[in-house]
mmCIF file of all heavy atoms in Angstrom:
data_model
loop_
_atom_site.group_PDB
_atom_site.id
_atom_site.type_symbol
_atom_site.label_atom_id
_atom_site.label_comp_id
_atom_site.label_asym_id
_atom_site.label_seq_id
_atom_site.Cartn_x
_atom_site.Cartn_y
_atom_site.Cartn_z
ATOM 1 N N ASN R 185 0.847 -1.194 0.000
ATOM 2 C CA ASN R 185 0.000 0.000 0.000
ATOM 3 C C ASN R 185 0.884 1.246 0.000
ATOM 4 O O ASN R 185 1.033 1.928 1.014
ATOM 5 C CB ASN R 185 -0.933 -0.012 1.213
ATOM 6 C CG ASN R 185 -1.882 1.180 1.230
ATOM 7 O OD1 ASN R 185 -2.088 1.823 0.193
ATOM 8 N ND2 ASN R 185 -2.431 1.487 2.386
ATOM 9 N N GLY R 186 1.518 1.492 -1.120
ATOM 10 C CA GLY R 186 2.314 2.698 -1.274
ATOM 11 C C GLY R 186 3.773 2.546 -0.884
ATOM 12 O O GLY R 186 4.246 1.486 -0.452
ATOM 13 N N LEU R 187 4.518 3.659 -1.012
ATOM 14 C CA LEU R 187 5.967 3.664 -0.828
ATOM 15 C C LEU R 187 6.371 3.357 0.610
ATOM 16 O O LEU R 187 7.344 2.640 0.846
ATOM 17 C CB LEU R 187 6.543 5.022 -1.250
ATOM 18 C CG LEU R 187 8.057 5.192 -1.095
ATOM 19 C CD1 LEU R 187 8.815 4.189 -1.956
ATOM 20 C CD2 LEU R 187 8.474 6.616 -1.445
ATOM 21 N N ASN R 188 5.648 3.890 1.590
ATOM 22 C CA ASN R 188 6.033 3.678 2.988
ATOM 23 C C ASN R 188 6.041 2.200 3.355
ATOM 24 O O ASN R 188 6.971 1.707 4.004
ATOM 25 C CB ASN R 188 5.098 4.446 3.919
ATOM 26 C CG ASN R 188 5.382 5.933 3.920
ATOM 27 O OD1 ASN R 188 6.517 6.353 3.671
ATOM 28 N ND2 ASN R 188 4.371 6.741 4.195
ATOM 29 N N GLU R 189 5.009 1.477 2.930
ATOM 30 C CA GLU R 189 4.981 0.047 3.219
ATOM 31 C C GLU R 189 6.099 -0.678 2.481
ATOM 32 O O GLU R 189 6.710 -1.616 3.014
ATOM 33 C CB GLU R 189 3.630 -0.562 2.862
ATOM 34 C CG GLU R 189 3.543 -2.038 3.256
ATOM 35 C CD GLU R 189 2.212 -2.692 2.919
ATOM 36 O OE1 GLU R 189 1.248 -1.966 2.591
ATOM 37 O OE2 GLU R 189 2.147 -3.935 2.992
ATOM 38 N N ALA R 190 6.379 -0.267 1.232
ATOM 39 C CA ALA R 190 7.472 -0.888 0.475
ATOM 40 C C ALA R 190 8.799 -0.713 1.208
ATOM 41 O O ALA R 190 9.590 -1.654 1.332
ATOM 42 C CB ALA R 190 7.551 -0.291 -0.926
ATOM 43 N N ILE R 191 9.043 0.490 1.725
ATOM 44 C CA ILE R 191 10.291 0.748 2.453
ATOM 45 C C ILE R 191 10.348 -0.085 3.730
ATOM 46 O O ILE R 191 11.409 -0.631 4.091
ATOM 47 C CB ILE R 191 10.427 2.251 2.743
ATOM 48 C CG1 ILE R 191 10.696 3.008 1.432
ATOM 49 C CG2 ILE R 191 11.544 2.510 3.746
ATOM 50 C CD1 ILE R 191 10.732 4.513 1.579
ATOM 51 N N GLU R 192 9.238 -0.216 4.409
ATOM 52 C CA GLU R 192 9.199 -1.055 5.606
ATOM 53 C C GLU R 192 9.560 -2.499 5.271
ATOM 54 O O GLU R 192 10.317 -3.156 6.005
ATOM 55 C CB GLU R 192 7.809 -0.998 6.243
ATOM 56 C CG GLU R 192 7.479 0.337 6.895
ATOM 57 C CD GLU R 192 6.043 0.384 7.401
ATOM 58 O OE1 GLU R 192 5.362 -0.667 7.356
ATOM 59 O OE2 GLU R 192 5.602 1.458 7.836
ATOM 60 N N ARG R 193 9.004 -3.006 4.173
ATOM 61 C CA ARG R 193 9.315 -4.386 3.755
ATOM 62 C C ARG R 193 10.803 -4.533 3.435
ATOM 63 O O ARG R 193 11.439 -5.521 3.824
ATOM 64 C CB ARG R 193 8.491 -4.739 2.518
ATOM 65 C CG ARG R 193 6.980 -4.699 2.719
ATOM 66 C CD ARG R 193 6.481 -5.959 3.381
ATOM 67 N NE ARG R 193 5.028 -6.074 3.314
ATOM 68 C CZ ARG R 193 4.344 -7.089 3.779
ATOM 69 N NH1 ARG R 193 4.965 -8.085 4.368
ATOM 70 N NH2 ARG R 193 3.025 -7.128 3.682
ATOM 71 N N ILE R 194 11.358 -3.570 2.732
ATOM 72 C CA ILE R 194 12.779 -3.629 2.362
ATOM 73 C C ILE R 194 13.647 -3.645 3.607
ATOM 74 O O ILE R 194 14.612 -4.419 3.716
ATOM 75 C CB ILE R 194 13.138 -2.436 1.456
ATOM 76 C CG1 ILE R 194 12.452 -2.570 0.093
ATOM 77 C CG2 ILE R 194 14.648 -2.322 1.279
ATOM 78 C CD1 ILE R 194 12.512 -1.320 -0.760
ATOM 79 N N ASN R 195 13.317 -2.815 4.562
ATOM 80 C CA ASN R 195 14.140 -2.695 5.769
ATOM 81 C C ASN R 195 13.966 -3.855 6.746
ATOM 82 O O ASN R 195 14.726 -3.964 7.711
ATOM 83 C CB ASN R 195 13.841 -1.373 6.464
ATOM 84 C CG ASN R 195 14.377 -0.174 5.698
ATOM 85 O OD1 ASN R 195 15.315 -0.307 4.906
ATOM 86 N ND2 ASN R 195 13.781 0.989 5.904
ATOM 87 N N GLN R 196 12.995 -4.721 6.486
ATOM 88 C CA GLN R 196 12.854 -5.930 7.295
ATOM 89 C C GLN R 196 13.833 -7.024 6.873
ATOM 90 O O GLN R 196 13.973 -8.029 7.565
ATOM 91 C CB GLN R 196 11.422 -6.456 7.200
ATOM 92 C CG GLN R 196 10.400 -5.605 7.941
ATOM 93 C CD GLN R 196 8.968 -6.021 7.660
ATOM 94 O OE1 GLN R 196 8.728 -7.073 7.066
ATOM 95 N NE2 GLN R 196 8.012 -5.212 8.085
ATOM 96 N N ARG R 197 14.505 -6.818 5.751
ATOM 97 C CA ARG R 197 15.433 -7.811 5.219
ATOM 98 C C ARG R 197 16.864 -7.275 5.284
ATOM 99 O O ARG R 197 17.076 -6.070 5.441
ATOM 100 C CB ARG R 197 15.079 -8.147 3.764
ATOM 101 C CG ARG R 197 13.649 -8.652 3.550
ATOM 102 C CD ARG R 197 13.526 -9.320 2.205
ATOM 103 N NE ARG R 197 14.474 -10.422 2.126
ATOM 104 C CZ ARG R 197 14.242 -11.649 2.586
ATOM 105 N NH1 ARG R 197 13.091 -11.934 3.150
ATOM 106 N NH2 ARG R 197 15.155 -12.588 2.473
ATOM 107 N N PRO R 198 17.869 -8.147 5.154
ATOM 108 C CA PRO R 198 19.249 -7.656 5.071
ATOM 109 C C PRO R 198 19.437 -6.712 3.884
ATOM 110 O O PRO R 198 18.694 -6.754 2.913
ATOM 111 C CB PRO R 198 20.060 -8.948 4.888
ATOM 112 C CG PRO R 198 19.201 -10.028 5.458
ATOM 113 C CD PRO R 198 17.794 -9.620 5.167
ATOM 114 N N LYS R 199 20.447 -5.875 3.980
ATOM 115 C CA LYS R 199 20.697 -4.878 2.930
ATOM 116 C C LYS R 199 21.015 -5.572 1.600
ATOM 117 O O LYS R 199 21.915 -6.411 1.534
ATOM 118 C CB LYS R 199 21.852 -3.970 3.345
ATOM 119 C CG LYS R 199 21.559 -3.160 4.593
ATOM 120 C CD LYS R 199 22.759 -2.351 5.047
ATOM 121 C CE LYS R 199 22.438 -1.574 6.317
ATOM 122 N NZ LYS R 199 23.600 -0.773 6.772
ATOM 123 N N PRO R 200 20.302 -5.209 0.533
ATOM 124 C CA PRO R 200 20.503 -5.889 -0.747
ATOM 125 C C PRO R 200 21.659 -5.304 -1.548
ATOM 126 O O PRO R 200 22.134 -4.194 -1.268
ATOM 127 C CB PRO R 200 19.173 -5.645 -1.473
ATOM 128 C CG PRO R 200 18.734 -4.309 -0.955
ATOM 129 C CD PRO R 200 19.181 -4.255 0.489
ATOM 130 N N LEU R 201 22.080 -6.045 -2.559
ATOM 131 C CA LEU R 201 23.132 -5.568 -3.457
ATOM 132 C C LEU R 201 22.623 -4.452 -4.358
ATOM 133 O O LEU R 201 23.347 -3.511 -4.680
ATOM 134 C CB LEU R 201 23.663 -6.735 -4.299
ATOM 135 C CG LEU R 201 24.810 -6.440 -5.261
ATOM 136 C CD1 LEU R 201 26.021 -5.874 -4.527
ATOM 137 C CD2 LEU R 201 25.200 -7.706 -6.027
ATOM 138 N N ALA R 202 21.369 -4.560 -4.786
ATOM 139 C CA ALA R 202 20.775 -3.539 -5.657
ATOM 140 C C ALA R 202 19.355 -3.262 -5.197
ATOM 141 O O ALA R 202 18.691 -4.125 -4.624
ATOM 142 C CB ALA R 202 20.783 -3.999 -7.108
ATOM 143 N N LEU R 203 18.892 -2.051 -5.478
ATOM 144 C CA LEU R 203 17.526 -1.649 -5.136
ATOM 145 C C LEU R 203 16.988 -0.841 -6.307
ATOM 146 O O LEU R 203 17.670 0.064 -6.809
ATOM 147 C CB LEU R 203 17.527 -0.824 -3.853
ATOM 148 C CG LEU R 203 16.190 -0.623 -3.121
ATOM 149 C CD1 LEU R 203 16.448 -0.167 -1.682
ATOM 150 C CD2 LEU R 203 15.298 0.388 -3.803
ATOM 151 N N TYR R 204 15.776 -1.178 -6.739
ATOM 152 C CA TYR R 204 15.189 -0.539 -7.916
ATOM 153 C C TYR R 204 13.858 0.119 -7.560
ATOM 154 O O TYR R 204 13.060 -0.446 -6.808
ATOM 155 C CB TYR R 204 14.983 -1.574 -9.026
ATOM 156 C CG TYR R 204 16.252 -2.299 -9.405
ATOM 157 C CD1 TYR R 204 16.441 -3.646 -9.076
ATOM 158 C CD2 TYR R 204 17.282 -1.639 -10.055
ATOM 159 C CE1 TYR R 204 17.607 -4.308 -9.404
ATOM 160 C CE2 TYR R 204 18.458 -2.292 -10.386
ATOM 161 C CZ TYR R 204 18.612 -3.625 -10.061
ATOM 162 O OH TYR R 204 19.785 -4.275 -10.382
ATOM 163 N N LEU R 205 13.642 1.298 -8.111
ATOM 164 C CA LEU R 205 12.368 1.996 -7.937
ATOM 165 C C LEU R 205 11.890 2.497 -9.288
ATOM 166 O O LEU R 205 12.652 3.140 -10.029
ATOM 167 C CB LEU R 205 12.524 3.188 -6.982
ATOM 168 C CG LEU R 205 11.310 4.118 -6.904
ATOM 169 C CD1 LEU R 205 10.123 3.417 -6.235
ATOM 170 C CD2 LEU R 205 11.654 5.422 -6.169
ATOM 171 N N PHE R 206 10.618 2.201 -9.595
ATOM 172 C CA PHE R 206 9.984 2.714 -10.805
ATOM 173 C C PHE R 206 8.941 3.743 -10.386
ATOM 174 O O PHE R 206 7.888 3.404 -9.857
ATOM 175 C CB PHE R 206 9.348 1.568 -11.593
ATOM 176 C CG PHE R 206 10.351 0.660 -12.234
ATOM 177 C CD1 PHE R 206 10.956 -0.362 -11.507
ATOM 178 C CD2 PHE R 206 10.731 0.840 -13.555
ATOM 179 C CE1 PHE R 206 11.896 -1.192 -12.085
ATOM 180 C CE2 PHE R 206 11.678 0.022 -14.146
ATOM 181 C CZ PHE R 206 12.262 -1.001 -13.420
ATOM 182 N N SER R 207 9.274 4.999 -10.598
ATOM 183 C CA SER R 207 8.385 6.101 -10.241
ATOM 184 C C SER R 207 8.898 7.377 -10.896
ATOM 185 O O SER R 207 10.108 7.572 -11.050
ATOM 186 C CB SER R 207 8.332 6.300 -8.715
ATOM 187 O OG SER R 207 7.610 7.449 -8.380
ATOM 188 N N LYS R 208 7.970 8.262 -11.247
ATOM 189 C CA LYS R 208 8.341 9.557 -11.821
ATOM 190 C C LYS R 208 8.622 10.593 -10.748
ATOM 191 O O LYS R 208 9.106 11.682 -11.039
ATOM 192 C CB LYS R 208 7.217 10.061 -12.729
ATOM 193 C CG LYS R 208 6.893 9.141 -13.897
ATOM 194 C CD LYS R 208 5.641 9.581 -14.620
ATOM 195 C CE LYS R 208 5.236 8.580 -15.704
ATOM 196 N NZ LYS R 208 3.940 8.923 -16.338
ATOM 197 N N GLN R 209 8.307 10.292 -9.502
ATOM 198 C CA GLN R 209 8.404 11.277 -8.434
ATOM 199 C C GLN R 209 9.834 11.397 -7.889
ATOM 200 O O GLN R 209 10.394 10.412 -7.407
ATOM 201 C CB GLN R 209 7.488 10.888 -7.269
ATOM 202 C CG GLN R 209 6.035 10.681 -7.622
ATOM 203 C CD GLN R 209 5.269 10.141 -6.432
ATOM 204 O OE1 GLN R 209 5.341 10.671 -5.323
ATOM 205 N NE2 GLN R 209 4.548 9.051 -6.643
ATOM 206 N N ARG R 210 10.377 12.579 -7.957
ATOM 207 C CA ARG R 210 11.699 12.804 -7.364
ATOM 208 C C ARG R 210 11.639 12.619 -5.848
ATOM 209 O O ARG R 210 12.583 12.128 -5.228
ATOM 210 C CB ARG R 210 12.179 14.213 -7.711
ATOM 211 C CG ARG R 210 13.551 14.568 -7.132
ATOM 212 C CD ARG R 210 14.626 13.608 -7.621
ATOM 213 N NE ARG R 210 15.902 13.881 -7.023
ATOM 214 C CZ ARG R 210 16.849 14.626 -7.567
ATOM 215 N NH1 ARG R 210 16.624 15.200 -8.747
ATOM 216 N NH2 ARG R 210 18.000 14.822 -6.970
ATOM 217 N N GLU R 211 10.524 12.979 -5.248
ATOM 218 C CA GLU R 211 10.376 12.820 -3.808
ATOM 219 C C GLU R 211 10.448 11.346 -3.406
ATOM 220 O O GLU R 211 11.072 10.994 -2.394
ATOM 221 C CB GLU R 211 9.041 13.408 -3.345
ATOM 222 C CG GLU R 211 8.830 13.317 -1.840
ATOM 223 C CD GLU R 211 7.488 13.869 -1.399
ATOM 224 O OE1 GLU R 211 6.758 14.416 -2.248
ATOM 225 O OE2 GLU R 211 7.167 13.751 -0.200
ATOM 226 N N ALA R 212 9.829 10.471 -4.201
ATOM 227 C CA ALA R 212 9.885 9.038 -3.908
ATOM 228 C C ALA R 212 11.314 8.527 -4.033
ATOM 229 O O ALA R 212 11.776 7.711 -3.220
ATOM 230 C CB ALA R 212 8.963 8.280 -4.856
#
């Protein structure tokens, strides 16, 4: 449900080698 939940999910796991975001928003 949006970027905040995505970030929470990412931070629940060990730090990855790469991270990808598809969005036009510079703020995101």
Side-chain angles (χ1 to χ4, degrees):
N185 183 19
L187 179 61
N188 285 332
E189 184 180 348
I191 290 175
E192 290 175 7
R193 299 279 193 178
I194 292 168
N195 289 337
Q196 288 171 11
R197 303 196 58 85
K199 297 175 181 180
L201 182 58
L203 196 163
Y204 304 109
L205 171 68
F206 289 82
S207 173
K208 300 171 186 175
Q209 304 173 50
R210 179 59 183 265
E211 182 182 355

